[in-house]
Amino acid sequence: MPSNHDGFLPAMSDIAREAGALLMHYFHQHLKIEYKGDADLVTAADRASEVLIRERIRAQWPAHDILGEEQGLSDQGSEYRWYVDPLDGTTNFAHGYPVFCVSMGLEYQTAQDRASGKAGRRIAAVVYDPTRDELFSAEQGKGARLNGEGIQVSKTATLKECILGTGFPSHKRHKNPNIHFYHQITLRTHGVRRAGSAALDLCNVASGRFDGFWEFNLNPWDTAAGVLIVKEAGGKVSRFDGSAFEINSRETLASNGLVHEAMISELREIFAGRGLEPLPALSEYQR
Ligand code: IPD
Ligand code: CA
Ligand code: CA
């Protein structure tokens, strides 16, 4: 068993940068939009980026497991598992809106932990935004960085002074309650941004650009990297009720730590029914 997990980040960063360059190549070509379901988009770029990332991982670490959004899980029983989102922000990408990234998180779980059902730990992460040439990275216990410089979460301590991020899935939108949360939390803060890339939203919390973020129903490839980057930047990540975040949690609440309890209490009140009053008439609103 390895005594430490040093040495992954430089190679991971190179892979993410290479995949990001490939995405930019496609981005400038205005790709045809394809559908995975009624509203779920996929492009040739998503697929090509995952092929490239898998090839690079395989070349250096042939025995490692990989879970990628487009090709699913290749499970070889390794202690290492890569969570790969080859293009996070596909809807933006497909519409020519330049907010998207490559996200790669690496997890380590001993065979013993796997057998006993104990969760693995994320040990290294990179999120690369090729539109701004920004590479966010973190190693467990070693802090978080943006293009090599250390980053920290914000120091905002009251919710009313916060700027937050959230997201809405393309899939099963009508069943997602987040619009109520968006509405209520917008009224109580400096605002809620909905930029369309969960991995970048998490990195925005890590670098202090956002004070917090929440989203329902994210997948492991969306969160594996960003969650480690937030924690290593001094932030906090949990489920909506404050309980521990796990890679398969369907609730992601991230913050600078200082406003975490306030966010939990907002979410609790909205779940309990606050904010379901009827909309004002247009004339009333305009007064
Ligand atoms: C999506 C983005 C988006 C989030 C969705 C995700 P994709 O990932 O992260 O911000 O709101 O829930 O599915 O499909 O662009 O990789
Ligand atoms: Ca994604
Ligand atoms: Ca994706």
Side-chain angles (χ1 to χ4, degrees), residues 11-72:
M12 282 173 87
S13 305
D14 288 350
I15 298 171
R17 283 184 184 282
E18 198 185 345
L22 182 74
L23 292 181
M24 290 312 281
H25 174 75
Y26 279 99
F27 189 61
H28 295 304
Q29 293 180 17
H30 307 291
L31 291 177
K32 182 167 101 329
I33 293 177
E34 298 168 43
Y35 289 88
K36 282 202 253 192
D38 59 345
D40 221 357
L41 307 182
V42 64
T43 68
D46 298 68
R47 298 199 179 98
S49 174
E50 184 157 330
V51 167
L52 182 148
I53 294 168
R54 281 178 182 266
E55 274 174 16
R56 298 293 179 270
I57 294 172
R58 283 269 165 276
Q60 299 189 59
W61 306 285
H64 286 190
D65 296 343
I66 305 172
L67 175 63
E69 180 174 12
E70 306 307 331
Q71 292 183 35

Side-chain angles (χ1 to χ4, degrees), residues 118 154 280:
K118 193 171 161 210
S154 72

Side-chain angles (χ1 to χ4, degrees), residues 231-247:
K231 287 183 178 168
E232 288 297 323
K236 191 163 179 180
V237 185
S238 72
R239 293 162 54 93
F240 292 166
D241 63 0
S243 60
F245 175 88
E246 301 292 348
I247 193 74

Side-chain angles (χ1 to χ4, degrees), residues 40-41 46 69 85 87-91 166-170 194-199 201 215-219 221-222:
D40 221 357
L41 307 182
D46 298 68
E69 180 174 12
D85 193 338
L87 167 47
D88 185 52
T90 294
T91 305
T166 190
F168 295 85
S170 45
R194 187 272 197 250
S197 164
D201 290 333
E215 188 163 346
F216 293 80
N217 289 347
L218 288 170
N219 287 297
W221 49 79
D222 298 311

